[in-house]
Amino acid sequence: MADRDHAPLSIACVRALTDKQHDKRKAAASEIEKMVKEFAALNNTVQIRKLLRVLGTEFTMSQNPNFKKGGLMGLASVAIALGKDSAEYAEHLIRPILTNFSDNETKIRYFACEALYNVVKVTRGAVLPYFSEIFSGLSRLAADHDQGVKNASEHLDKLLKDIVTENATFDLVGFMPLLRERLYSKNTFARQYIISWVTVLDAVPDIQLILFLPELLDGLFDLLNDPNSRNLCGHVLSEFLRSINKDPSKVQFTQMINILINHSQSPDETLQMAALSWIKDFIHLSHEQMLPYTSGILSAILPCFAYESEAKRGIKDVAKAVNMNLMELINPKLDDEGQSDENHQRKPECDLDLSSVLDVLKKQLAHTSVNTKVASLTWLYHLHNSIPKRMLMQVDDLFPTLLHVLTDHSDEVVQHGLNVLAQIISPESEAGRVPVPDSPHHPYFENFLHSLIGLFREDRQLLEERGSFIIRQLCILLSAEDVYKSTAEIMRSEHDLKFARVMVDTLNTILLTSSELFQLRNILKNEENGKLFQCLYETWCHNPVATISLCLLTQNYEHTCELIMILANYEISVEFLAEVDRLIQLIESPIFIYLRLELLQVPHNYYLIRSMYGLLMLLPQSETFHLLRHRLECIPKLHFFHESRNRLKENESGNKYNLEFDTLRGHFTTIQDKHKL
């Protein structure tokens, strides 16, 4: 090959530089170094550039491995010879070497690392414009299968880190896209390499890496999935979180919260725990800035309430803490819908997206976990309590979901569902302030009772198994008198007679036995409440034994006698006898102690005695028959009271209420005739 082909290199130098033996190549490299120093002394930049072009194209780009090795050593020698002046030729020194980072031959990659190390060592800060290219190459070599290449790349990487940390001109903005991209590498070694760079950059006081955290956070959390990178990445994330807590003013919370929400739903426990911990601190530090993201946060934390295993207790505890902090952000100040006062206008970026929150809560109510459903219902209660005006606009959409909650298998879930419903339909609620024509109640109260009765009608098992619990809880949460009166008014027009009989039996049993209805029983015993009695009576007529018990409870004994005599005209069924049996058992309970004492009040107990004997005559001679008979044997004989009847005043009634009992008796007969058909 002619001398001019590789000028300014001599043929001998070229031959030595491309020799297989390392010592000969090394000698040629020394000759090149000497040559470049002479060129530099004469300021002969033309020859220097010509030499770089020869080495960078005809040698390092050659298909011959020995030419590549020689070219790499030659470029390193040029840089060493130029010293600080090599910065002027940085591009021609660096790029040919970087090309060989991806060479198929291990030795070539090794020599490329070694050559670039020598170049970077003398050029220092001049390599920064090419930092991204060098970084990309090193990130690939970090995963190299050859340990020698990896060791060489690590030496170069350490030098590069020193240069970056000491140089204020480092272009962090330009580097971010590349760093973000490399965070998603699938190779463990490449991941560890990237983490090491994040650690180094974060440690530099002059580099505010936290400002770029939104670009890096997703990739860093993704690295927690790798068991081999988990410890390193966990440490980096902990340091970032410590910095955030130290100076939250520089943190762009809203640009990162969705990333955290996404990772907090990961099946990986470590990743989930870390993300939830970050969310907890974000809420604590940024306050109302997190309000627009409430629905996403709830989607992440509510399923965690279902965790029961010891391994996930920590996650569950953090989720509860997040839930508490988030709930504290919901306050009456957010309930200023429609206010025109500028001082009350909310910033859109700090507002609560109520519709999306309710969508999440409704979805979580379908969860299999009792704890998750209870937490969701607690949220609904809190929202109604804190922002009732805004919640009022959502009631129609929410109502069917809450009704369905009443069919849940858990008493705790049903209880919380009733708490929310009571909050909506109570007179003190926003809905309660909406006037309803011709009704003392508000619309949702009536609508709810209609819907509840419809639910019981469609699902008789629900009525049988949960009806008593639901009605008793409603009477605790609301006015028992209002609940019973409104229910009776609705049931009065019930066409399903069999359902009406069962429903009245349920209501009556609760009325007679439940401690929650003690006050209502006392109200009914007051003779001033005849209208309430009549309202219940007209519906209670669907169940004759319930009607009799209502009359006994309210001390309308004369009418009780009349009803018992009327029943002689109807077929006595086994179901009827069973209900009479239960009534006798109730008469022996503390609820009717006043009635048993009235048996001693001569002569006013005439109709009561007749009623008791009438019930006795309806029963076959069973255990219950003898129970009542023994009770009646404890009082004077019936003929004594028959005589005392003559001493009663002619105008004295055996009923407590001053009502048209003839009309009531006619209504009772009409209803019984309908059931007979």
Side-chain angles (χ1 to χ4, degrees):
M1 191 174 287
D3 182 36
R4 58 184 174 81
D5 290 340
H6 297 100
L9 295 177
S10 65
I11 294 177
C13 183
V14 171
R15 188 177 295 116
L17 192 62
T18 58
D19 197 276
K20 293 182 179 180
Q21 295 184 19
H22 179 72
D23 290 342
K24 291 184 178 181
R25 293 198 302 271
K26 188 174 181 180
S30 297
E31 183 179 335
I32 291 173
E33 183 178 342
K34 182 179 178 181
M35 181 191 307
V36 172
K37 286 181 178 179
E38 292 175 356
F39 290 154
L42 298 172
N43 197 25
N44 191 346
T45 59
V46 174
Q47 289 297 326
I48 294 174
R49 293 186 184 280
K50 187 175 182 180
L51 176 59
L52 288 172
R53 185 170 60 253
V54 169
L55 293 171
T57 56
E58 299 182 27
F59 280 76
T60 60
M61 301 297 180
S62 173
Q63 297 299 315
N64 188 319
N66 292 325
F67 267 71
K68 287 186 177 183
K69 294 173 185 176
L72 292 169
M73 293 184 70
L75 288 172
S77 297
V78 172
I80 293 170
L82 291 172
K84 293 181 179 180
D85 293 335
S86 61
E88 184 180 345
Y89 308 95
E91 180 178 0
H92 299 289
L93 288 167
I94 294 171
R95 287 207 164 119
I97 298 175
L98 286 175
T99 303
N100 288 277
F101 270 24
S102 56
D103 195 272
N104 292 329
E105 188 173 327
T106 300
K107 287 292 185 181
I108 301 297
R109 297 196 301 276
Y110 175 84
F111 282 120
C113 289
E114 189 177 62
L116 190 56
Y117 177 88
N118 289 320
V119 171
V120 172
K121 189 174 182 179
V122 293
T123 54
R124 305 297 292 183
V127 304
L128 292 180
Y130 314 97
F131 173 81
S132 294
E133 297 171 62
I134 299 173
F135 178 85
S136 295
L138 287 175
S139 65
R140 289 191 297 270
L141 292 179
D144 200 283
H145 61 83
D146 184 80
Q147 189 60 45
V149 174
K150 289 174 67 175
N151 291 340
S153 69
E154 287 173 4
H155 284 297
L156 174 58
D157 178 62
K158 184 178 180 182
L159 175 61
L160 196 61
K161 285 172 179 171
D162 290 339
I163 294 171
V164 168
T165 55
E166 69 187 20
N167 201 304
T169 62
F170 176 64
D171 183 13
L172 187 61
V173 175
F175 176 50
M176 275 303 115
L178 180 60
L179 182 60
R180 181 179 64 246
E181 175 193 339
R182 296 296 176 179
L183 282 170
Y184 296 100
S185 172
K186 300 300 181 183
N187 184 275
T188 296
F189 296 106
R191 287 177 166 183
Q192 293 174 354
Y193 172 74
I194 303 301
I195 295 172
S196 71
W197 266 99
V198 174
T199 304
V200 168
L201 293 174
D202 187 44
V204 180
D206 294 335
I207 295 179
Q208 298 291 325
L209 192 60
I210 197 170
L211 299 177
F212 299 90
L213 190 55
E215 297 185 53
L216 305 177
L217 191 63
D218 182 62
L220 288 172
F221 267 93
D222 193 61
L223 290 177
L224 282 178
N225 269 321
D226 184 356
N228 297 309
S229 305
R230 182 165 290 170
N231 290 336
L232 284 173
C233 189
H235 175 72
V236 170
L237 286 170
S238 296
E239 286 300 308
F240 273 126
L241 190 57
R242 184 185 62 80
S243 299
I244 289 171
N245 279 278
K246 185 177 180 180
D247 187 5
S249 62
K250 297 180 179 179
V251 182
Q252 298 167 306
F253 293 102
T254 58
Q255 294 187 26
M256 293 186 282
I257 184 61
N258 282 327
I259 296 171
L260 297 173
I261 290 171
N262 180 52
H263 287 293
S264 64
Q265 299 174 71
S266 168
D268 184 274
E269 294 177 15
T270 302
L271 184 56
Q272 187 179 25
M273 181 70 170
L276 287 173
S277 298
W278 275 63
I279 292 174
K280 179 171 70 69
D281 285 4
F282 270 35
I283 296 173
H284 176 71
L285 295 170
S286 65
H287 306 294
E288 66 275 1
Q289 290 185 51
M290 292 295 102
L291 280 173
Y293 308 94
T294 300
S295 59
I297 297 173
L298 288 175
S299 296
I301 63 174
L302 290 178
C304 298
F305 283 64
Y307 296 159
E308 298 294 344
S309 66
E310 188 67 26
K312 292 190 174 184
R313 175 181 289 184
I315 296 175
K316 184 176 181 179
D317 289 343
V318 175
K320 286 183 175 180
V322 172
N323 187 62
M324 184 181 300
N325 292 345
L326 191 61
M327 198 170 279
E328 289 175 355
L329 298 181
I330 311 298
N331 58 68
K333 292 180 181 179
L334 299 174
D335 202 27
D336 58 1
E337 193 73 29
Q339 293 189 15
S340 58
D341 188 348
E342 293 182 0
N343 295 327
H344 289 84
Q345 292 299 313
R346 296 185 303 274
K347 297 179 180 179
E349 63 271 18
C350 296
D351 194 16
L352 177 71
D353 185 355
L354 185 57
S355 295
S356 64
V357 169
L358 293 180
D359 286 342
V360 170
L361 294 176
K362 286 189 289 185
K363 180 180 179 181
Q364 294 302 323
L365 285 174
H367 201 282
T368 56
S369 166
V370 170
N371 290 334
T372 296
K373 287 185 277 194
V374 167
S376 301
L377 290 166
T378 302
W379 258 98
L380 288 173
Y381 185 89
H382 181 64
L383 289 169
H384 275 286
N385 192 48
S386 301
I387 50 174
K389 293 177 183 176
R390 296 179 68 182
M391 284 298 291
L392 178 60
M393 302 172 66
Q394 307 288 337
V395 168
D396 289 334
D397 185 51
L398 191 59
F399 225 73
T401 303
L402 291 173
L403 277 173
H404 183 71
V405 167
L406 302 184
T407 65
D408 196 88
H409 67 279
S410 166
D411 283 352
E412 187 178 5
V413 172
V414 174
Q415 173 71 71
H416 280 79
L418 289 170
N419 288 345
V420 178
L421 284 164
Q423 181 79 356
I424 296 172
I425 66 179
S426 68
E428 292 77 19
S429 71
E430 283 296 322
R433 299 190 182 101
V434 179
V436 182
D438 303 322
S439 174
H441 305 298
H442 47 82
Y444 292 111
F445 182 85
E446 301 285 351
N447 291 345
F448 167 68
L449 289 179
H450 273 285
S451 300
L452 180 62
I453 291 170
L455 197 62
F456 287 149
R457 185 188 302 110
E458 295 170 6
D459 189 348
R460 301 295 174 85
Q461 186 176 359
L462 176 66
L463 174 60
E464 180 182 343
E465 296 178 357
R466 312 301 294 280
S468 177
F469 175 76
I470 292 172
I471 294 169
R472 284 190 293 108
Q473 294 304 313
L474 281 175
C475 290
I476 295 173
L477 296 167
L478 302 167
S479 164
E481 180 179 349
D482 288 345
V483 171
Y484 263 72
K485 186 175 181 180
S486 296
T487 303
E489 289 171 349
I490 295 169
M491 289 296 300
R492 190 182 304 157
S493 58
E494 178 61 48
H495 297 294
D496 187 337
L497 299 181
K498 186 175 181 180
F499 166 69
R501 181 187 179 98
V502 175
M503 186 69 186
V504 168
D505 181 55
T506 302
L507 291 167
N508 187 65
T509 302
I510 298 169
L511 175 63
L512 295 180
T513 62
S514 175
S515 59
E516 293 88 351
L517 273 75
F518 174 79
Q519 185 177 359
L520 180 57
R521 289 195 292 270
N522 286 339
I523 291 173
L524 283 168
K525 292 175 186 177
N526 190 324
E527 60 186 19
E528 296 178 357
N529 293 307
K531 289 185 178 180
L532 175 60
F533 167 79
Q534 184 171 344
C535 177
L536 298 184
Y537 179 95
E538 291 176 355
T539 298
W540 258 234
C541 287
H542 284 289
N543 189 305
V545 177
T547 311
I548 291 171
S549 64
L550 178 64
C551 292
L552 289 174
L553 175 68
T554 55
Q555 299 169 299
N556 291 292
Y557 301 133
E558 182 177 354
H559 190 61
T560 305
C561 292
E562 294 172 347
L563 295 180
I564 292 173
M565 298 306 295
I566 290 173
L567 291 176
N569 300 319
Y570 297 93
E571 181 180 354
I572 303 299
S573 65
V574 175
E575 182 182 6
F576 173 83
L577 291 176
E579 291 174 353
V580 174
D581 189 288
R582 291 202 305 272
L583 175 58
I584 302 304
Q585 300 292 338
L586 281 173
I587 290 174
E588 291 296 319
S589 71
I591 295 292
F592 280 103
I593 191 170
Y594 72 92
L595 182 147
R596 299 198 299 273
L597 289 174
E598 282 190 84
L599 291 172
L600 302 176
Q601 295 180 8
V602 179
H604 303 289
N605 59 1
Y606 173 77
Y607 291 110
L608 175 58
I609 292 291
R610 285 194 60 188
S611 298
M612 293 297 101
Y613 273 101
L615 291 174
L616 189 66
M617 294 303 107
L618 289 175
L619 287 170
Q621 294 193 33
S622 61
E623 183 178 343
T624 305
F625 172 89
H626 293 294
L627 179 67
L628 180 57
R629 181 173 64 83
H630 290 318
R631 172 65 66 183
L632 294 175
E633 287 176 352
C634 296
I635 60 175
K637 298 300 181 182
L638 181 60
H639 66 82
F640 173 81
F641 293 101
H642 178 70
E643 294 173 0
S644 67
R645 170 62 179 157
N646 297 326
R647 296 198 295 270
L648 289 173
K649 297 179 181 178
E650 292 184 4
N651 61 350
E652 185 174 355
S653 171
N655 298 315
K656 172 165 285 191
Y657 294 131
N658 184 22
L659 298 172
E660 293 292 334
F661 279 97
D662 289 342
T663 303
L664 294 180
R665 184 171 61 250
H667 177 75
F668 177 82
T669 303
T670 300
I671 297 297
Q672 291 306 305
D673 288 342
K674 288 182 179 180
H675 281 268
K676 184 179 179 181
L677 295 176

